[in-house]
Amino acid sequence: MAISYPIPKWDRPAPTSYDLNWADLTELPLDLFDTPEGKAELVKRVKHALEVEDLGFCIDAKNGGYLGYRAAYERTINGTDVLDNMELLNVPKYTKDFADTPRHEIIKAHEAEISDFHRRCWYDVARKLFILFALALELPENYFVDRHDYEKVSQDHLRYMMYHPRSEEDDAKCNNLWSWAHTDYGSLTLLFSQTVSGLQVKFADGTYRDIKPKKGSIVVNVADTLSFMTKGYLRSTIHRVTRPPPDQAHIHRIGVLYGCRPNDDVPVVVAPSPLLDRLGYLTPEDKLADEKNAVTAGEYVAARVKAVHGANTYGNAPGTKFKHGNLEVLENFGEVKNGSGVSI
């Protein structure tokens, strides 16, 4: 018997009235994508963001395996008695390879809408961004698209997540952080705009700035595997979630995002980009990379997920590194408590 799961009306919380240190993000209006002139303009903006603003990559893109749960309060924040306040649910791709994946009844009850949204995240947004990145790097247009094919096996997922409010006392023990500064594991993360503040990105000058809600926008973070493939030209976005401002600190912070990862069998090697070569990014070793013996995206992501989410505590010591094969990233970007709050 089919189970009905009606969704009650949800009203977005009002944006904060506090004037925070808002980030000025590069805008990519993807409605320009379908004309040669518009696509050229978008490529120009991509290169400006990378080479002039030196922002790693975090933009406003306007218009643009296992169904896992992690229950809140399962683990403590490292070095404290405070319980993790994050709860999430991942929904894998709607392809034949995941056809037998168990899905919660509420997901199945709304599958038509969710599956359509899932695929549009890739085809209408991520695919276009991969093409723009390839053109900026003077690569064949489909270089990154082919390595992230939606119809092939990868760990892409649509994620619903919620941060539960904590007391001021507990948050103070955690440097007022709900998520430590980190980079994401795959290639791109699409974060759909929401009104509860707290998400911050780190700029090249070392400062963190808040993401301002903007109706109809998607904030896009570059993640590790794409950064590896471009030798850091597309730099992983360092970001964190802080306790929201006082007028929102009592609200459950609900988010929707899409994590885009390379196909599991794709070797994580540096792209043969003429631009990267001219800029001096490519070494002789990069040009002779042995794809047969390289770490694959599936191996890297699985190892990173196990290292981070398999622990009973959340948040490693500042400077902790994760390494798998020849791939290495920082897991904690150095937040330490001092008299003025958090220093980097």
Side-chain angles (χ1 to χ4, degrees):
M1 183 178 69
I3 302 175
S4 175
Y5 280 92
I7 299 177
K9 185 178 183 298
W10 180 71
D11 293 319
R12 282 179 176 267
T16 181
S17 61
Y18 285 75
D19 186 18
L20 305 179
N21 184 21
W22 301 115
D24 184 16
L25 303 183
T26 298
E27 290 191 3
L28 293 184
L30 291 182
D31 53 356
L32 299 179
F33 182 87
D34 293 323
T35 68
E37 299 80 10
K39 189 179 291 184
E41 172 60 24
L42 292 173
V43 170
K44 180 180 176 182
R45 293 192 187 195
V46 166
K47 296 185 73 171
H48 177 82
L50 295 169
E51 296 177 2
V52 179
E53 295 182 358
D54 193 22
L55 178 55
F57 214 75
C58 187
I59 62 177
D60 263 349
K62 296 195 298 185
N63 304 318
Y66 168 73
L67 179 60
Y69 298 87
R70 172 158 297 277
Y73 319 127
E74 283 185 352
R75 55 185 183 172
T76 57
I77 305 301
N78 193 31
T80 76
D81 59 355
V82 179
L83 291 167
D84 186 4
N85 66 336
M86 179 176 62
E87 185 174 6
L88 61 84
L89 181 152
N90 289 344
V91 182
K93 295 197 291 192
Y94 283 90
T95 61
K96 59 182 177 59
D97 295 294
F98 296 96
D100 297 328
T101 300
R103 300 181 191 268
H104 191 281
E105 291 297 330
I106 194 171
I107 299 298
K108 291 191 286 187
H110 300 279
E111 186 169 276
E113 183 176 5
I114 294 173
S115 63
D116 177 66
F117 181 71
H118 204 295
R119 298 179 74 87
R120 288 174 61 191
C121 285
W122 192 90
Y123 283 99
D124 292 352
V125 183
R127 180 185 64 86
K128 293 179 180 180
L129 292 173
F130 285 135
I131 289 173
L132 296 177
F133 295 159
L135 293 175
L137 289 162
E138 301 171 15
L139 291 163
E141 182 173 288
N142 284 333
Y143 183 87
F144 294 119
V145 170
D146 291 345
R147 286 158 176 75
H148 296 81
D149 190 335
Y150 187 90
E151 305 304 327
K152 295 181 180 179
V153 177
S154 73
Q155 303 310 307
D156 286 36
H157 57 272
L158 179 66
R159 173 174 293 180
Y160 299 92
M161 65 187 304
M162 181 191 323
Y163 290 96
H164 295 254
R166 285 196 298 232
S167 68
E168 287 189 57
E169 180 184 9
D170 279 350
D171 273 343
K173 294 178 183 178
C174 308
N175 297 347
N176 287 319
L177 292 173
W178 284 7
S179 178
W180 297 87
H182 64 283
T183 56
D184 293 336
Y185 316 153
S187 292
L188 293 176
T189 305
L190 312 180
L191 301 104
F192 293 86
S193 183
Q194 63 133 303
T195 53
V196 180
S197 294
L199 176 63
Q200 297 180 334
V201 295
K202 188 176 184 179
F203 278 67
D205 62 5
T207 62
Y208 281 92
R209 303 177 201 174
D210 294 87
I211 300 300
K212 192 169 187 175
K214 190 171 186 179
K215 187 176 181 179
S217 71
I218 306 169
V219 174
V220 181
N221 290 343
V222 165
D224 293 343
T225 53
L226 191 58
S227 185
F228 291 140
M229 290 178 178
T230 61
K231 205 64 182 291
Y233 180 79
L234 285 161
R235 183 159 48 85
S236 293
T237 307
I238 302 170
H239 57 288
R240 66 187 186 185
V241 178
T242 66
R243 177 182 172 89
D247 57 350
Q248 295 183 320
H250 63 288
I251 301 173
H252 287 75
R253 190 176 188 277
I254 299 172
V256 176
L257 60 87
Y258 185 87
C260 191
R261 295 169 175 174
N263 300 134
D264 282 2
D265 61 355
V266 168
V268 185
V269 296
V270 180
S273 160
L275 176 66
L276 295 184
D277 196 15
R278 288 200 308 276
L279 294 176
Y281 281 76
L282 303 187
T283 65
E285 292 75 19
D286 293 329
K287 298 176 184 180
L288 298 173
D290 181 5
E291 292 195 1
K292 291 183 178 179
N293 294 312
V295 173
T296 66
E299 292 168 344
Y300 173 78
V301 170
R304 185 101 192 269
V305 168
K306 181 179 180 180
V308 175
H309 294 287
N312 292 323
T313 61
Y314 172 67
N316 292 314
T320 300
K321 293 182 179 180
F322 169 79
K323 185 172 184 179
H324 186 74
N326 64 323
L327 306 177
E328 182 177 282
V329 295
L330 278 174
E331 284 191 338
N332 186 324
F333 288 82
E335 284 113 340
V336 294
K337 186 181 289 186
N338 64 16
S340 60
V342 176
S343 65
I344 305 302

